[in-house]
Amino acid sequence: MHFTPSEEQSAAQGLAGRIFGDLSTHERLTAAGTGTDAELWKELCAAGLPAAVEDIGLLGLVLLLEEQGRTTAQVPFAVTCVYGLLAVAEHGTAEQRERLLPGLRDGTAVAAGAFPARGRVHLADGALYGAVPWVPWLRDATHVLVADRDLALWIVEASAPGAEARAPGVTVEPVETTAPWSAGRLVLDGVRGERLGNGPEAYAAVLATARTAFAGLQAGVCAGSLARAVHHTVTREQFGRPLSTNQGVLLRAADAHMDTEAIRVTAYEAAWRHDEQLASGEQALTAAWWASEAGKRVVHAGQHLHGGTGADLDHPVHRHFLWGRQLDAYLGSGSEVLQELGLLLADSAQGDAS
């Protein structure tokens, strides 16, 4: 694979870095609480960053999500791009793309995804029934991508067109998770969704895309946590010298750096293979495993290296810890993903043998 981003990808990443860095400050995040920073979302959409994802691909999106993760910016960027823009662009009909993509590009529509499927939603008489315990960014969503028990994908309107009220048959109950992602419990009672793609194949493709994208987000979360830890240990002195001169601190930070790079490079590989239309299922699972297992280690290290300061729930590094822990389990914990990868490799080996 090529590790050098294209000119367009680098330009988009630079723009995202400036917007997130300028607007996603500790003060604004504190003021947002567990909700979305609506002004930041408007700024990102006005800059054309969601719309750019169709051109810069999944690798470009991973680069943008790294910048979001560095600042833990509370906007529905990842979910709108993964479960909205890319899902519709890659699996929708021409009519669906023409109708749905404009709103997703300019931010007037926000997508969420009830992923991974746990068999909680079923189809009966052409309508969807069931409940999903928590869906990230659901409280902001105008559309939700849902998979039924047969892994068929459905686009469900979460809010009534032109109104603040929820669409008939859709109930959203606020849920607070580890990370402040405007999550909600989704209840469907006789909702007629809109079919997307060709069943299990489309579901598997969207799930792989989501895992790759959120691995990129985790790489940014870890990089931000480590950067804060480095700054703290360089500037904080103990016994007349910086904490960073202690060998134990150096080794802990070095391990965290290597873990962060492993998350980043596996996410890059999976995204690049996706964009090149190469098989990327194994690579997406590998990236997800590193994001879960290594991400957990890095955010723990970042908080630990802050010493007593890291125990302060109001300190910025604690937000990285919360996001890292949420991403550790989202879309499958390390052990779940490793089991999936093992079964996939076994099936592949059996196919080659036959």
Side-chain angles (χ1 to χ4, degrees), residues 248-268:
V249 171
L250 289 171
L251 292 174
R252 191 78 188 275
D255 286 342
H257 170 73
M258 294 305 295
D259 273 338
T260 301
E261 289 302 301
I263 300 169
R264 177 181 288 119
V265 73
T266 52
Y268 283 6

Side-chain angles (χ1 to χ4, degrees), residues 145-308:
L145 191 62
V146 179
D148 64 23
R149 289 175 180 172
D150 295 323
L151 301 184
L153 290 180
W154 300 88
I155 301 172
V156 173
E157 283 196 0
S159 58
E164 294 295 329
R166 291 296 173 187
V170 176
T171 302
V172 174
E173 302 167 358
V175 172
E176 300 304 336
T177 61
T178 304
W181 287 355
S182 297
R185 179 174 182 265
L186 176 67
V187 180
L188 303 176
D189 185 15
V191 177
R192 295 193 176 275
E194 181 178 350
R195 185 70 179 268
L196 183 72
N198 56 351
E201 291 183 10
Y203 168 78
V206 172
L207 179 58
T209 297
R211 282 172 164 161
T212 302
F214 280 95
L217 185 62
Q218 182 75 301
V221 170
C222 291
S225 175
L226 184 57
R228 291 187 183 279
V230 168
H231 180 266
H232 176 80
T233 56
V234 167
T235 57
R236 183 70 177 265
E237 291 190 357
Q238 187 178 59
F239 305 117
R241 63 176 187 172
L243 290 172
S244 60
T245 59
N246 294 319
Q247 188 178 40
V249 171
L250 289 171
L251 292 174
R252 191 78 188 275
D255 286 342
H257 170 73
M258 294 305 295
D259 273 338
T260 301
E261 289 302 301
I263 300 169
R264 177 181 288 119
V265 73
T266 52
Y268 283 6
E269 182 184 14
W272 175 81
R273 291 184 65 89
H274 170 277
D275 292 343
E276 294 296 314
Q277 298 183 343
L278 301 172
S280 57
E282 295 175 11
Q283 288 74 18
L285 286 168
T286 301
W289 183 85
W290 275 104
S292 177
E293 294 294 313
K296 182 167 48 182
R297 290 194 296 265
V298 173
V299 295
H300 273 269
Q303 192 164 8
H304 188 198
L305 288 173
H306 278 76

Side-chain angles (χ1 to χ4, degrees), residues 9-40:
Q9 290 168 339
S10 295
Q13 183 182 23
L15 177 59
R18 288 193 296 274
I19 295 174
F20 284 127
D22 290 343
L23 298 183
S24 186
T25 63
H26 178 58
E27 293 73 22
R28 287 176 66 105
L29 289 168
T30 300
T34 61
T36 293
D37 187 334
E39 292 304 315
L40 174 55

